[in-house]
Amino acid sequence: MTSPTQQETLGFQSEVNQLLDLVINSLYSNREIFLRELVSNASDAIEKLRFAALSDEALYDGDAEMAIDIDFDREAGTLTIRDNGIGMTREEAVNHLGTIAKSGTKEFFGALSGDARQDSQLIGQFGVGFYAAFIVADKVTVYSRKAGTPVESGVRWESAGRGEFTVENWQRPTRGTEIVLHLKEDARDFADSYRLRGLIKKYSDHISTPIRLPQEGENAEGRETVNAATALWLRNKQDISDDDYKSFYKHVAHDFEDPLAWVHTKAEGKLEYTTLLFIPGRPPFDLFERDSKRGVQLYVQRVFIMEDAEQLMPRYLRFVRGIVDTRDLPLNVSRELLQRNKAIDTIRGASVKKILGLIESLAGGDDYAKFWAPFGRVLKEGVIEDHANRERIAKLLRFASTHDDRAEPAVSLEAYVGRMKEGQKAIYYLTADSHATAKASPHLEVFRARGVEVLLLSDPVDEWVVTHLTEFDGKPLKSVTLGKLELPGDEPDKDDADEAATPLVERLRKALDGKASSVRKSTRLTDSPACLVGEDHGMSANLQRILRAAGQEVPPDQRVLEVNLAHPLLQRLDVEPDEDRFAQLALVLFEQAVLAEGGRLEDPAGFVQRVNRLLVDAAA
Ligand code: ADP
């Protein structure tokens, strides 16, 4: 080169170095996936060009025949993957091949254990993309030129994968990207036509652009296409194998793992569209980030239009990956236009129903936990967001329950209703900050004694679920910590009798004035001395805690203290002559009730002093 190429050596972002270490050390046994990753990138680049050319045909620059070409040189030990897609500018090469822009990157590296085997599992979940080249190459050279830029604005990028890379300006006659892998000694067997053909068939058959190898034979000069080279979703279902679907999923989702399930539909009628939607096998890293992406891609007449088309999936199905291809949108459709488009609304409505149907079929099988464990918390948001499908989503929910006391949420509302006792009017639940707290709550005592099942909810989102899902199958959902109870077998009018306060209850009301809104005889307790109960439509203690933790104003907690008059502590209180001591004991009784439901005391040190004083007295 004669012109000044402005060569620069730059360091990789530290996460890239970590990723490279991992890639090289942990993917050794699965080396061949490098090709799938690079072909997938080449295909993305071609789709991006097709899209850009919709509004600027000149970008094709006389070459609109899109292809991915693979070449190899056995002697030199090189393998080349070339596309005539969108290409990269120098700046883009530096940014895209030297840093990781993916959301959840920090979380991912935080989650690594240092244990090679575990981490190799994680890395599949994260995806390695371009860096997979370094599994088989000890040096990688990338030549690229962005479509629509002049020949002299090409770039050459090179790295041995150890901490740094170089970039320089490069004359490049053709647009697009060429990646040259200098194969490691033990990876030279990849420079082989038969081997490459097999890998392309295995991993990249579904790529809709032709992937071409040099023709075989004596005087062969041309190229032959190795993959099926049609959009997979347009083929007939009976011609698509499970493996085809799985590899397509890995391409669209940038995932290494197989999907859990998929649904492929063609709609023909007023609207014409095809959807191919997947539920991943594992949750993406950013599932719980507020603005995490929704992974459905929009195609119009087979042309890729955009990723993460949020109008295609509601937030609560943000884990779904896949594509929607339709004829009923203009090719130049923008995100803004999608927001108020009838066709899109119809397609989204139908896609949601398809996915719910798919989840229903999983729920009918033995492996529903595989779906519920990673995605259940997200699906629950659907009860809050999606009025139209609320009942359908409600049937898909699973909870822990006193039925078997297991922490795994496995009880459906239908199963609960099927087990309801004769005369039971409500579906009972308890919310708490953990399953252990929920399980041990004194509020459950009478339910356990009477054999009435209670759902144990310990996800923060559950509090919102129960405020939106007020009934199921005609039965109200009722918190066991709020309001008066009416259990099967209770006499209807006994409430009034309870209100008639005993002298002890009167004394307690006075002693706890300002702490509890009132004191009454409990119908809930069999073993514990006391518990706190909110108003019928009040906020549970758990919700108050969640809101406070989120920095929100919550009105002061004034609930009723229910006391178990049969408990020895209450009997002891009843005969306490010293008013001062009575007040101390009453306060401890109240504070215990707060602790038993997993709450925080206003004055923990005071509580400890009070208890100690009582212990000393008792020991004396
Ligand atoms: P991902 O594909 O998940 O974004 P990669 O590490 O595989 O991550 O690639 C990083 C970026 O580099 C891509 O998003 C793309 O912008 C760019 N890139 C990679 N390969 C190509 C290519 N063949 N043509 C154009 N750009 C590419």
Side-chain angles (χ1 to χ4, degrees):
M1 295 297 305
T2 49
S3 63
T5 66
Q6 295 176 18
Q7 195 184 65
E8 257 185 303
T9 300
L10 296 165
F12 284 123
Q13 177 198 24
S14 68
E15 282 85 359
V16 172
N17 284 323
Q18 272 177 284
L19 184 61
L20 281 170
D21 272 349
L22 264 175
V23 166
I24 292 162
N25 293 322
S26 59
L27 289 177
Y28 186 83
S29 56
N30 198 10
R31 292 193 299 175
E32 60 191 35
I33 58 95
F34 79 93
L35 190 68
R36 167 187 91 197
E37 299 292 305
L38 297 179
V39 165
S40 182
N41 279 349
S43 156
D44 288 347
I46 284 172
E47 307 224 334
K48 280 181 200 159
L49 176 67
R50 282 204 187 107
F51 175 65
L54 290 176
S55 50
D56 182 6
E57 187 129 12
L59 289 176
Y60 282 132
D61 199 15
D63 172 21
E65 192 191 330
M66 312 305 275
I68 300 166
D69 285 334
I70 301 184
D71 281 297
F72 55 92
D73 182 334
R74 214 171 316 210
E75 312 274 88
T78 59
L79 182 62
T80 302
I81 295 117
R82 186 171 49 249
D83 66 69
N84 55 355
I86 191 83
M88 284 175 277
T89 63
R90 175 175 174 142
E91 201 190 345
E92 284 169 342
V94 169
N95 287 332
H96 295 158
L97 310 182
T99 59
I100 307 171
K102 206 177 296 199
S103 65
T105 299
K106 242 176 98 189
E107 290 75 6
F108 171 73
F109 287 101
L112 294 179
S113 63
D115 176 272
R117 263 215 321 200
Q118 274 184 31
D119 290 346
S120 72
Q121 297 264 315
L122 278 175
I123 196 180
Q125 211 171 340
F126 186 73
V128 295
F130 169 75
Y131 302 103
F134 290 95
I135 310 174
V136 292
D138 46 25
K139 190 168 76 176
V140 177
T141 315
V142 179
Y143 303 89
S144 194
R145 170 155 77 82
K146 181 100 175 180
T149 66
V151 170
E152 57 280 7
S153 67
V155 57
R156 179 183 186 275
W157 179 104
E158 186 168 83
S159 175
R162 285 193 222 94
E164 57 185 35
F165 60 90
T166 60
V167 272
E168 58 195 294
N169 296 340
W170 202 258
Q171 303 259 346
R172 186 167 161 78
T174 54
R175 69 153 190 272
T177 303
E178 177 173 329
I179 297 178
V180 182
L181 308 178
H182 306 267
L183 295 171
K184 292 178 186 172
E185 205 58 57
D186 61 2
R188 289 193 162 209
D189 51 328
F190 285 109
D192 175 84
S193 185
Y194 184 76
R195 186 84 197 270
L196 290 168
R197 189 174 297 265
L199 292 180
I200 293 165
K201 274 282 177 207
K202 179 170 171 192
Y203 291 115
S204 309
D205 199 44
H206 59 82
I207 297 281
S208 52
T209 303
I211 305 169
R212 306 185 305 196
L213 281 173
Q215 233 159 24
E216 292 286 295
E218 280 295 286
N219 314 312
E221 274 181 12
R223 297 197 153 267
E224 65 175 315
T225 299
V226 179
N227 61 331
T230 57
L232 176 106
W233 59 90
L234 296 179
R235 290 194 228 158
N236 282 325
K237 277 199 230 177
Q238 55 271 27
D239 300 335
I240 309 176
S241 70
D242 283 3
D243 282 339
D244 290 333
Y245 280 120
K246 289 178 188 169
S247 18
F248 180 73
Y249 164 77
K250 289 174 186 169
H251 168 62
V252 282
H254 293 247
D255 192 350
F256 273 40
E257 297 292 318
D258 286 344
L260 189 61
W262 59 86
V263 55
H264 183 186
T265 15
K266 276 183 196 158
E268 275 155 9
K270 249 170 75 188
L271 287 179
E272 257 183 61
Y273 59 90
T274 301
T275 53
L276 175 49
L277 302 172
F278 296 88
I279 297 174
R282 289 196 288 193
F285 270 91
D286 56 358
L287 192 58
F288 290 102
E289 279 174 32
R290 274 198 76 77
D291 49 14
S292 82
K293 292 182 171 174
R294 271 161 271 187
V296 175
Q297 303 183 344
L298 176 66
Y299 283 72
V300 174
Q301 297 173 37
R302 269 181 283 168
V303 180
F304 169 77
I305 304 293
M306 67 181 80
E307 324 186 85
D308 317 316
E310 57 263 32
Q311 284 77 20
L312 291 175
M313 271 297 143
R315 265 191 65 75
Y316 75 93
L317 295 177
R318 59 186 175 274
F319 50 85
V320 172
R321 297 287 179 266
I323 65 100
V324 169
D325 187 355
T326 177
R327 296 179 163 282
D328 295 295
L329 287 173
L331 276 164
N332 61 357
V333 65
S334 64
R335 279 185 199 269
E336 294 66 46
L337 216 97
L338 285 183
Q339 272 164 12
R340 40 199 161 76
N341 182 286
K342 277 241 165 66
I344 282 290
D345 289 346
T346 308
I347 295 173
R348 182 185 45 216
S351 302
V352 167
K353 292 208 156 56
K354 286 287 168 204
I355 287 291
L356 292 179
L358 187 60
I359 301 174
E360 278 158 4
S361 67
L362 293 172
D366 298 333
D367 269 351
Y368 192 46
K370 278 196 187 148
F371 169 81
W372 187 256
F375 303 119
R377 273 169 71 191
V378 181
L379 186 70
K380 282 177 186 173
E381 297 170 16
V383 171
I384 303 160
E385 275 175 35
D386 189 348
H387 297 239
N389 290 304
R390 181 171 296 158
E391 188 84 358
R392 214 170 154 186
I393 299 168
K395 287 187 184 157
L396 295 169
L397 305 182
R398 295 294 180 269
F399 301 104
S401 128
T402 55
H403 180 64
D404 56 10
D405 270 345
R406 286 193 307 151
E408 294 76 41
V411 172
S412 69
L413 290 168
E414 282 172 311
Y416 181 102
V417 169
R419 284 194 289 260
M420 277 171 70
K421 285 260 179 298
E422 175 89 31
Q424 183 179 339
K425 298 210 175 93
I427 297 172
Y428 290 102
Y429 67 85
L430 173 78
T431 54
D433 63 346
S434 74
H435 179 72
T437 312
K439 211 165 88 168
S441 167
H443 293 97
L444 296 175
E445 287 171 7
V446 71
F447 290 88
R448 291 201 197 272
R450 305 262 195 104
V452 174
E453 183 172 358
V454 178
L455 300 174
L456 303 176
L457 316 185
S458 51
D459 266 351
V461 67
D462 289 335
E463 287 286 354
W464 283 271
V465 170
V466 292
T467 52
H468 287 81
L469 188 72
T470 48
E471 59 163 61
F472 178 80
D473 196 14
K475 322 260 181 318
L477 269 77
K478 185 163 166 42
S479 165
V480 301
T481 70
L482 300 178
K484 294 233 171 81
L485 295 183
E486 220 185 303
L487 288 180
D490 280 351
E491 296 142 39
D493 300 327
K494 72 172 180 45
D495 278 3
D496 301 337
D498 288 343
E499 289 300 330
T502 65
L504 173 58
V505 167
E506 277 300 343
R507 272 175 94 188
L508 283 168
R509 282 182 187 164
K510 276 205 203 83
L512 293 174
D513 188 32
K515 295 273 172 200
S517 66
S518 184
V519 178
R520 69 173 175 238
K521 179 184 158 209
S522 180
T523 54
R524 288 175 162 80
L525 303 171
T526 59
D527 299 328
S528 301
C531 69
L532 285 159
V533 176
E535 307 252 335
D536 228 331
H537 295 285
M539 245 187 232
S540 74
N542 187 52
L543 181 55
Q544 295 184 26
R545 188 180 39 249
I546 293 173
L547 292 177
R548 284 203 190 90
Q552 296 200 30
E553 291 265 344
V554 178
D557 183 21
Q558 281 268 323
R559 287 177 293 154
V560 176
L561 185 74
E562 284 197 358
V563 291
N564 175 1
L565 294 179
H567 194 277
L569 183 51
L570 273 295
Q571 290 173 349
R572 164 74 184 74
L573 267 167
D574 202 14
V575 297
E576 174 57 58
D578 183 328
E579 280 311 316
D580 202 38
R581 254 174 81 89
F582 181 88
Q584 298 282 325
L585 279 165
L587 196 48
V588 169
L589 188 69
F590 172 83
E591 290 172 313
Q592 281 185 351
V594 174
L595 289 176
E597 64 183 19
R600 289 177 62 136
L601 297 178
E602 265 171 41
D603 176 19
F607 171 74
V608 172
Q609 276 176 10
R610 277 184 280 283
V611 170
N612 285 346
R613 213 172 306 141
L614 291 168
L615 287 174
V616 170
D617 285 359

